[in-house]
Each structure stands twice: as structure tokens, then as C-alpha cells.
Amino acid sequence: METWVNQSYTDGFFLLGIFSHSTADLVLFSAVMAVFTVALCGNVLLIFLIYMDPHLHTPMYFFLSQLSLMDLMLVCTNVPKMAANFLSGRKSISFVGCGIQIGLFVCLVGSEGLLLGLMAYDRYVAISHPLHYPILMNQRVCLQITGSSWAFGIIDGLIQMVVVMNFPYCGLRKVNHFFCEMLSLLKLACVDTSLFEKVIFACCVFMLLFPFSIIVASYARILGTVLQMHSAQAWKKALATCSSHLTAVTLFYGAAMFIYLRPRHYRAPSHDKVTSIFYTVLTPMLNPLIYSLRNREVMGALRKGLDRCRIGSQH
């Protein structure tokens, strides 16, 4: 056992990746890198606009800035290493690097899932109790919501990282994924990890279904409020307010549930890799687009920023 542990700490792992060097895979790799660049720029721009424009200093946009920060960190956790390995031809990752990837990935996915759930509560308060909204969603409540989301993710990420990286690993140590994905890594352990995998499955069920239940309950209340509205304009405004959040929730939870809530015998590494690309790169790119292109206030802030830049360049 001691020899295994020593070997685990001194040796790294080999990431088999998702792309070969065929023409089709080169095109797919280029597409992923383009999506990564858009995700990077889109989230940085959205955080900057929310920070700079006083009109966007509201609870909804504060939560959105935190969501963008999580997305920004998520795309930077796995994609740069995947790209470096693909371009250099080296597939290695150090033991410490693998642990950091697991910790950050679990932390950010957990934090984002809970924040999306609590953002549904914010939409419920805004639509069902508009007059009390500034009191019910004051600065202290907003900080508690985001703080609890981050704390939940960080604690979960640290626990899972410490446990997974303390298992002994042996053999060829080839991870059948493009990053140190926990379930793929556990297949290489020299000991029986079935009990831990059952605990992880139970944690995943809780981490996904708890926020999802908040979302369902919030939108059930919102639907009840909307059905009582007699004004068509008020109905449309409520729908517009919720549509962006519902789209983001569908993308995130659809992919996460597909990977982590399927029975073990239905899992295929190729499916998991493609789905992981979807919610580690594509969803972080789509979130700022969903919230900006369908939102007049964000587009207005962008136009004002561009006008300032144009006036500044003329002087």
C-alpha cells in the first residue's frame, strides 16, 4: 500500500483526450477553441459591463456576474490544458495538476448549479412580490445567496479532491478523458472504490435535485402569478424575465443529469467526453449570449460603452 501511495504522488497521469490528429478532429478542435475564445471574451465583457454600468447594479445582474465568473473559471480549468496537450503531442498531467483540476471542476459545477437554483427564487420574488423586491432581495441577502453557493461548491470540491487523490493508483495510469474527470480517474485505482462511487452518486443526486427542486417550486409559483395577470404586457414582461434563466438552466442541468444520474452500465466514455465538452465549454459560451442578446439593459450598457470608446478615440 505504501509503495502505491508513493508512486501515486511521484507519477502523473496520461490524458487520452478527445481528439486525434485526423482532418475531421482538427476541424472539431478548431471549433472548440473558437467556442472557448467566445466564452472567455463574452464572460469577461459581461462582468465588465455589470461592474461599470450603474443601471446594472441590481440583484439579478449581481448574480449574473457571479455566474459569469464561475463560467470563466470553468472554461479555464480544463480547456487550456487540453489544448496544450493536443498541440504539443504530450498527454501528461502531474499528480498535483490532476488534483487541482478535480477540485476546481467539482467546486465550480456545484457552485453554479446551486446559484442557478437560487436565481430562480430571485425571479419568483421579482414577479410575485415586485413591491417588496428591494427589501426581500437586499444587499445582505444577495451576498448570502452567492456566498452560500461558493461555500457549498468549495467544500464539496475540497472533500472530493482529497478523497480521490488519496486512493492508490497503479498500472498505465491512462485517464480516458480530456481532463482529470473523477469517475474516469477512479477506474485506475488499485483498490475497490465502489462504496465511494455510491456516495458520490448520492451527492450528485442531492447537488442536482436540491437546486432543481428550488427551480421547479419557484417557477410553479411564477406560473401561478402569471396566470392571474390580466395585462398581456405584464405577461410578456414576466415571460421575457424568466426565459433567459430557463434556457441556461435547461442547458446546464440537462448535460449534468445526463452524465451523473445515469446508471453505471449505460455510461460510455465517448458519450461522457462529448457531453463534458458541451457543459464545460459550450454552456459557458451560451450563457452570456443568452443573457445579453435577449436583454435590453445589457445591450444598452454595451452600446453606451461602445459610444464612450468611439468618442474617446475621436479625441
Side-chain angles (χ1 to χ4, degrees):
M1 174 72 77
E2 191 177 341
T3 310
W4 282 345
V5 173
N6 288 340
Q7 186 187 4
S8 290
Y9 280 104
T10 54
D11 297 345
F13 297 93
F14 293 95
L15 301 173
L16 297 182
I18 190 170
F19 302 115
S20 65
H21 285 274
S22 66
T23 306
D25 277 1
L26 284 170
V27 172
L28 286 172
F29 172 76
S30 302
V32 168
M33 293 314 296
V35 169
F36 167 72
T37 306
V38 174
L40 208 62
C41 297
N43 283 292
V44 168
L45 180 62
L46 195 55
I47 292 168
F48 178 75
L49 287 174
I50 291 168
Y51 177 75
M52 292 299 291
D53 195 316
H55 293 103
L56 301 182
H57 293 175
T58 62
M60 187 180 87
Y61 292 109
F62 173 66
F63 297 140
L64 187 52
S65 70
Q66 295 298 302
L67 187 69
S68 284
L69 181 60
M70 290 170 185
D71 280 338
L72 193 60
M73 292 175 69
L74 187 60
V75 293
C76 292
T77 297
N78 303 327
V79 179
K81 181 61 180 172
M82 178 200 75
N85 281 1
F86 178 77
L87 294 171
S88 66
R90 293 184 6 245
K91 294 178 180 285
S92 61
I93 185 168
S94 68
F95 183 85
V96 173
C98 192
I100 290 170
Q101 271 197 346
I102 288 174
L104 282 174
F105 181 76
V106 173
C107 162
L108 293 165
V109 170
S111 296
E112 185 164 335
L114 184 56
L115 184 61
L116 280 170
L118 294 172
M119 283 171 74
Y121 172 73
D122 169 68
R123 293 300 81 212
Y124 156 68
V125 175
I127 291 167
S128 301
H129 305 283
L131 298 177
H132 297 102
Y133 182 72
I135 300 164
L136 293 171
M137 296 302 295
N138 57 47
Q139 189 179 27
R140 185 176 161 219
V141 173
C142 292
L143 290 172
Q144 285 174 341
I145 286 174
T146 53
S148 61
S149 298
W150 279 108
F152 176 78
I154 289 167
I155 292 167
D156 188 40
L158 281 172
I159 291 170
Q160 293 196 34
M161 178 185 72
V162 169
V163 174
V164 170
M165 300 319 286
N166 270 294
F167 281 125
Y169 295 96
C170 50
L172 297 175
R173 302 161 73 89
K174 291 181 177 178
V175 182
N176 192 9
H177 218 293
F178 63 89
F179 68 99
C180 274
E181 198 267 337
M182 185 175 53
L183 296 177
S184 301
L185 194 66
L186 288 175
K187 292 175 183 175
L188 308 177
C190 304
V191 293
D192 182 22
T193 61
S194 56
L195 177 62
F196 178 67
E197 287 182 53
K198 285 174 185 173
V199 172
I200 290 298
F201 181 77
C203 286
C204 286
V205 170
F206 174 76
M207 284 173 64
L208 289 170
L209 296 189
F210 172 63
F212 194 70
S213 64
I214 297 173
I215 292 165
V216 171
S218 297
Y219 277 104
R221 292 289 189 92
I222 288 169
L223 184 62
T225 304
V226 167
L227 291 174
Q228 290 172 8
M229 291 178 178
H230 301 293
S231 165
Q233 191 176 358
W235 193 88
K236 283 180 184 176
K237 188 179 177 183
L239 186 65
T241 305
C242 297
S243 61
S244 297
H245 180 255
L246 272 173
T247 308
V249 163
T250 304
L251 290 170
F252 180 86
Y253 279 95
M257 286 179 176
F258 177 79
I259 288 184
Y260 294 108
L261 298 188
R262 279 179 303 156
R264 194 172 180 179
H265 54 276
Y266 285 118
R267 287 181 194 154
S270 58
H271 294 164
D272 286 350
K273 286 188 214 177
V274 173
T275 313
S276 294
I277 281 281
F278 184 86
Y279 81 97
T280 57
V281 188
L282 195 62
T283 304
M285 179 204 74
L286 290 172
N287 279 346
L289 294 178
I290 290 164
Y291 278 101
S292 59
L293 294 177
R294 302 174 71 172
N295 192 302
R296 288 180 187 174
E297 290 168 318
V298 174
M299 292 306 289
L302 181 59
R303 275 193 292 270
K304 276 193 279 183
L306 291 171
D307 288 340
R308 278 197 216 109
C309 291
R310 199 177 299 117
I311 293 166
S313 64
Q314 286 172 358
H315 287 293

